[in-house]
Amino acid sequence: MSARDIYHNTVRLALEKDGWTITHDPFPLQIGKKRLSADLGAERLISAEKELQKIVVEVKSFVGQSDVKDLQQALGQYVLYRQILNQMEVERVLYLAVSQPTFNSVFTIELGQILLKNQIVRLIVFDDESEVIVKWIPD
């Protein structure tokens, strides 16, 4: 099992505060004989529709020397996990969880905006101090 991201527990707590039930920690992924895992699986009841909303969350801290390098690695992992979830026919929406400072430095500039505009990645933006979710993209 790979090491947990430094914000793993922060995101887990923020999801729980937002009404999510953590169903998997980690969330298992398998394609052929390869076994991987995303950080979290969660679900919550949508009261008006009486349906469960299910997600998978990959947490990334972006603490390397280069935001671009961190983005490349996170995006590659995100795309791979999304394809594996599709292949497994798992009906969960994949999100990348990033801190507010990471969102501000990476996803508000052209480099990150193009990913959001073209709906390449879905984000959960969290405040690492108050341990709450501040933004879902798209919402």
Side-chain angles (χ1 to χ4, degrees):
M1 181 184 299
S2 60
R4 288 186 168 175
D5 188 274
I6 60 171
Y7 291 126
H8 182 93
N9 291 333
T10 301
V11 172
R12 181 183 173 118
L13 185 58
L15 285 167
E16 290 171 338
K17 285 181 179 179
D18 202 45
W20 293 87
T21 299
I22 303 302
T23 58
H24 299 82
D25 184 357
F27 187 90
L29 300 168
Q30 182 171 349
I31 183 126
K33 294 181 180 181
K34 296 292 183 185
R35 295 179 189 271
L36 302 109
S37 59
D39 290 312
L40 297 165
E43 64 186 29
R44 73 174 172 186
L45 186 64
I46 305 170
S47 59
E49 296 146 11
K50 304 275 189 218
E51 286 184 43
L52 280 178
Q53 184 178 13
K54 297 180 179 185
I55 61 174
V56 171
V57 180
E58 183 60 25
V59 182
K60 289 297 174 202
S61 60
F62 285 70
V63 294
Q65 292 182 356
S66 166
D67 284 349
V68 174
K69 210 63 84 217
D70 288 344
L71 179 61
Q72 289 172 324
Q73 183 176 3
L75 189 58
Q77 194 171 3
Y78 180 91
V79 170
L80 179 64
Y81 287 2
R82 190 170 60 192
Q83 295 308 306
I84 293 171
L85 287 167
N86 289 344
Q87 183 72 26
M88 292 173 57
E89 297 181 356
V90 173
E91 295 191 23
R92 288 180 183 255
V93 178
L94 179 62
Y95 283 89
L96 184 65
V98 298
S99 68
Q100 183 78 53
T102 295
F103 176 78
N104 292 340
S105 67
V106 176
F107 291 96
T108 61
I109 63 171
E110 293 85 0
L111 180 63
Q113 283 292 299
I114 196 165
L115 298 173
L116 300 179
K117 177 184 172 197
N118 293 318
Q119 299 178 354
I120 303 300
V121 65
R122 292 174 177 265
L123 294 181
I124 297 172
V125 182
F126 62 91
D127 181 315
D128 58 310
E129 292 181 17
S130 60
E131 300 178 318
V132 296
I133 294 171
V134 294
K135 190 179 300 197
W136 291 83
I137 300 173
D139 54 6

